[in-house]
Amino acid sequence: MSEAGIVILGAGQGGFQAAASLRDCGYAGRLVLVGDEPGLPYQRPPLSKAYMKSEAGIEQIELRAGAFYADHRIELVNARATAIDRPGQRLLLEDGTALPYAHLILATGARNRPLPVPGHDLAGVYYLRTLADADALKGKLAVARRVVVIGAGFIGLEFAAVARALGHEVTVLEGAGRVLARAVSPEMSAFFAHAHAAMGTKLVLGAGVVGLEGEGGHVTGVATGDGTVHPADFVLVGIGVVPNVELAAAAGLEVANGIVVDAHLATMDPAISALGDAVAYPSRFAAKDGTTHVRLESVQNAADQARSLAHRLTGRVSPFDAVPWFWSDQADLKLQMVGLAAATDSAVLRGDPASRRFSVFRFRDGVLTAIESVNRPADHMLGRRLLAGTPAITPAQAADESFELKSLLAK
Ligand SMILES: Cc1cc2nc3c(=O)[nH]c(=O)nc-3n(C[C@H](O)[C@H](O)[C@H](O)COP(=O)(O)OP(=O)(O)OC[C@H]3O[C@@H](n4cnc5c(N)ncnc54)[C@H](O)[C@@H]3O)c2cc1C
């Protein structure tokens, strides 16, 4: 009978970090990391950035080289898990193996939201979540000329910037009235819309996609509700993700836009915890409009939750309370966000967008909730420190560039 140690399901950013941090924290028992993607665990952010531009290869994006796993006695199992046997404390794999666990960590991440229109299954329609997706797209970028990107979120816009830099004709179709609508202020959306137009990308807002057209089984265009067909040699769909919660739900764990966990990342089963993109957790940064839980999709969230959980499982118990932050690189623009703003939070500009170095400070009832910065890392780093406590900055101070933000930090 094999030892029942800690089993981690999902060998992505969060699953990897949980394994590495457990060893850092002194966990000495059996440690198994199960993932269904081939190869070693890798970082996803470069897939739409340096890796897509061929500025980084596979070795640069792998989280660690193969020797790390042997050195740290982390058993990597490449398989798909099909069920959680909670009474028996076993994770069942597709080949019939049952992995016993003393504790199970669910780090199953998210998958692409499929495009729900006719023609979605034509050849030449791509998504971008995995290394395999990125390799398929890179192959296409080497030959095709006209790409239509559906969705002006981070992945769509990052890919659009790369495709334009490579000389492709790029059209971005966005159903909402502004780009990055779920993530940033209207002011920041306007800046990025302008920046992409200046790169030569055709950006169409309020463009509801109604179908994909094709010839011989291959996509040739994207039809929008106004009757326009946007010609395409290939299409990238970037319309968000859905959390991988099915195994948790089938095992009777609570699921509501993510696997529901408490402030310690524990599910309702004391032998199962969860983290990363798949998880809804209680956060003091939630929008306070009745919502208490948030589900975040970022490296920081997955990695910080993994570290927090490793501490708990090795006896250092404290609730997860990290300040959320995120970044996105689009051409020469580095966007960094810290905190979580609600759509209705006010926006105060610090610096001039025309200089391509500015920040937008978000406030709710006069209290700072988030900072969005373009090419201004000092504002972002300061925001992380401010938001970790109770930020005492006023909108007038945020707007006044002569006001020293550092003076707000506790001495
Ligand atoms: C192209 C791209 C660019 C991004 N850029 C940024 C960025 O700039 N900044 C940022 O902060 N974040 C970025 N992100 C988001 C970030 O990568 C994710 O938030 C992060 O990877 C989440 O980690 P995770 O461990 O929760 O999930 P994942 O990294 O998705 O890992 C989950 C793993 O679990 C596996 N799995 C799921 N179910 C099973 C099963 N039943 N059996 C076996 N294996 C299973 C999945 O296949 C996957 O490998 C980007 C994501 C993408 C796709």
Side-chain angles (χ1 to χ4, degrees):
M1 177 78 181
S2 51
E3 176 194 340
I6 297 179
V7 173
I8 303 170
L9 175 59
Q13 193 85 45
F16 160 80
Q17 189 61 55
S21 294
L22 279 163
R23 287 299 187 225
D24 285 348
C25 290
Y27 171 71
R30 187 177 181 201
L31 191 48
V32 186
L33 182 55
V34 181
D36 59 358
E37 291 186 66
L40 295 172
Y42 61 90
Q43 311 166 56
R44 297 188 197 285
L47 297 182
S48 51
K49 307 177 183 76
Y51 187 80
M52 188 58 61
K53 283 189 265 183
S54 299
E55 288 171 358
I58 179 73
E59 300 77 24
Q60 281 81 47
I61 74 167
E62 281 169 357
L63 283 154
R64 290 292 185 282
F68 174 87
Y69 300 90
D71 292 349
H72 290 76
R73 290 184 299 110
I74 297 168
E75 297 172 41
L76 272 180
V77 175
N78 182 215
R80 184 156 185 79
T82 49
I84 304 164
D85 167 16
R86 282 177 57 202
Q89 296 206 180
R90 300 177 315 157
L91 181 69
L92 308 182
L93 307 184
E94 62 190 340
D95 66 358
T97 308
L99 279 174
Y101 62 80
H103 199 89
L104 175 65
I105 299 175
L106 299 175
T108 46
R111 60 181 180 275
N112 293 307
R113 184 183 298 283
L115 185 69
V117 300
H120 65 90
D121 49 357
L122 287 164
V125 178
Y126 294 85
Y127 291 80
L128 181 50
R129 178 79 194 175
T130 64
L131 186 59
D133 293 340
D135 285 336
L137 258 174
K138 271 176 82 169
K140 210 64 190 169
L141 276 176
V143 285
R145 304 306 310 159
R146 288 174 309 181
V147 57
V148 172
V149 176
I150 302 177
F154 289 115
I155 290 182
L157 291 186
E158 288 181 2
F159 178 78
V162 172
R164 268 310 294 150
L166 294 175
H168 291 264
E169 244 178 66
V170 182
T171 302
V172 177
L173 305 176
E174 168 56 52
R178 61 185 177 98
V179 307
L180 303 174
R182 281 193 310 133
V184 299
S185 57
E187 288 75 0
M188 191 58 84
S189 293
F191 173 81
F192 272 91
H194 186 262
H196 280 272
M199 288 174 216
T201 291
K202 182 178 173 195
L203 176 63
V204 189
L205 299 174
V209 170
V210 293
L212 302 188
E213 304 200 338
E215 265 174 41
H218 196 283
V219 72
T220 55
V222 181
T224 45
D226 61 357
T228 310
V229 176
H230 303 268
D233 298 321
F234 68 114
V235 169
L236 172 68
V237 181
I239 56 169
V241 295
V242 285
N244 291 322
V245 298
E246 288 74 10
L247 284 193
L253 299 176
E254 188 185 352
V255 164
N257 182 34
I259 304 165
V260 176
V261 293
D262 67 14
H264 295 278
L265 307 171
T267 68
M268 54 192 270
D269 181 335
I272 305 179
S273 301
L275 57 84
D277 282 14
V279 158
Y281 75 96
S283 169
R284 69 184 166 99
F285 296 96
K288 305 277 185 298
D289 53 359
T291 43
T292 53
H293 285 57
V294 296
R295 191 180 66 74
L296 303 180
E297 296 158 11
S298 77
V299 166
Q300 170 273 325
N301 182 60
D304 280 351
Q305 289 189 338
R307 291 186 194 98
S308 173
L309 185 54
H311 284 150
R312 169 163 68 83
L313 295 179
T314 53
R316 274 195 280 163
V317 180
S318 66
F320 176 72
D321 188 36
V323 179
W325 55 266
F326 189 85
W327 80 95
S328 171
D329 296 329
Q330 298 171 37
D332 62 334
L333 302 171
K334 180 174 265 309
L335 169 64
Q336 293 171 292
M337 291 146 286
V338 56
L340 295 180
T344 49
D345 290 359
S346 64
V348 173
L349 209 55
R350 186 175 178 88
D352 180 6
S355 70
R356 297 164 80 81
R357 271 190 80 252
F358 69 103
S359 295
V360 177
F361 285 58
R362 310 292 303 275
F363 289 89
R364 190 180 314 146
D365 303 327
V367 177
L368 182 74
T369 53
I371 303 176
E372 305 157 4
S373 305
V374 172
N375 295 341
R376 239 171 118 122
D379 287 1
H380 173 77
M381 293 310 291
L382 187 115
R384 287 201 211 171
R385 294 176 66 184
L386 281 180
L387 286 160
T390 310
I393 182 172
T394 66
Q397 289 168 335
D400 176 4
E401 282 216 82
S402 68
F403 176 77
E404 275 281 353
L405 295 176
K406 272 193 249 163
S407 67
L408 296 165
L409 295 173
K411 303 270 167 345

